[in-house]
Amino acid sequence: NASPTLPRETPIPTPDVLVVNRSEAEQLTGMADLSAQELARALIARDAASTAIVTDGGHGAAAADRQMTLSERSAAVEVVDTTGAGDAFAGALAAALARHDDPRRALGCAVAAGARAVTQRGAQEQEPAVRAALQREDTPARIGLKTIDLREER
């Protein structure tokens, strides 16, 4: 996670997976007014990571690597407080990848955890949001996108 963002001139080691929000992606790429998918692809084109994930608030998130791009929409929820949403997203993503979920399901679990986290006030314990997201049964249908193995050593 690149939060807080560093000036673009500051060299950082290239991570396997980079998770940033829209404003961080815009700052890192120097580009604005792009979709989350386009920002993720721009990060990959700049060799910012092997896999780039851009969160986009209530719109969901997008992931990209050199072979593919995928996105997951967020469920419509009543937003009470956004504190902790990014942490819930990152925690669910890490847990899903650690249990070897495919990338689409991992991204879906992360988006679901972030969405659930914003329905409560404050930076409360995010474990219930992450646990509920990881128990999702509604794995998104494949839509002909090539998937990536985020577990592969690069």
Side-chain angles (χ1 to χ4, degrees), residues 77-110:
V77 296
E78 183 177 338
V79 177
V80 174
D81 187 354
T82 61
T83 305
D87 294 334
F89 178 97
L93 180 70
L97 294 175
R99 72 177 189 191
H100 308 296
D101 283 2
D102 70 74
R104 181 169 294 283
R105 180 167 172 81
L107 188 63
C109 288

Side-chain angles (χ1 to χ4, degrees), residues 17-129:
V17 179
L18 175 67
V19 178
V20 292
N21 64 36
R22 168 176 283 288
S23 63
E24 293 164 341
E26 289 173 346
Q27 184 176 3
L28 289 170
T29 62
M31 305 168 110
D33 300 322
L34 298 177
S35 71
Q37 288 182 331
E38 292 167 324
L39 287 167
R41 286 193 295 266
L43 288 165
I44 294 302
R46 286 170 171 68
D47 292 322
S50 298
T51 300
I53 299 173
V54 178
T55 62
D56 199 13
H59 299 289
D65 74 0
R66 295 230 179 258
Q67 287 77 44
M68 68 75 174
T69 304
L70 60 88
S71 63
E72 179 74 19
R73 290 184 184 189
S74 179
V77 296
E78 183 177 338
V79 177
V80 174
D81 187 354
T82 61
T83 305
D87 294 334
F89 178 97
L93 180 70
L97 294 175
R99 72 177 189 191
H100 308 296
D101 283 2
D102 70 74
R104 181 169 294 283
R105 180 167 172 81
L107 188 63
C109 288
V111 168
R116 182 173 172 142
V118 302
T119 64
Q120 301 172 39
R121 183 161 309 285
Q124 71 284 342
E125 176 69 36
Q126 294 299 336
E127 183 182 350

Side-chain angles (χ1 to χ4, degrees), residues 3 14 60 87-88 100 102 110 132 135 138 140 148:
S3 183
T14 302
D87 294 334
H100 308 296
D102 70 74
Q135 293 173 352
D138 60 331
I148 56 171

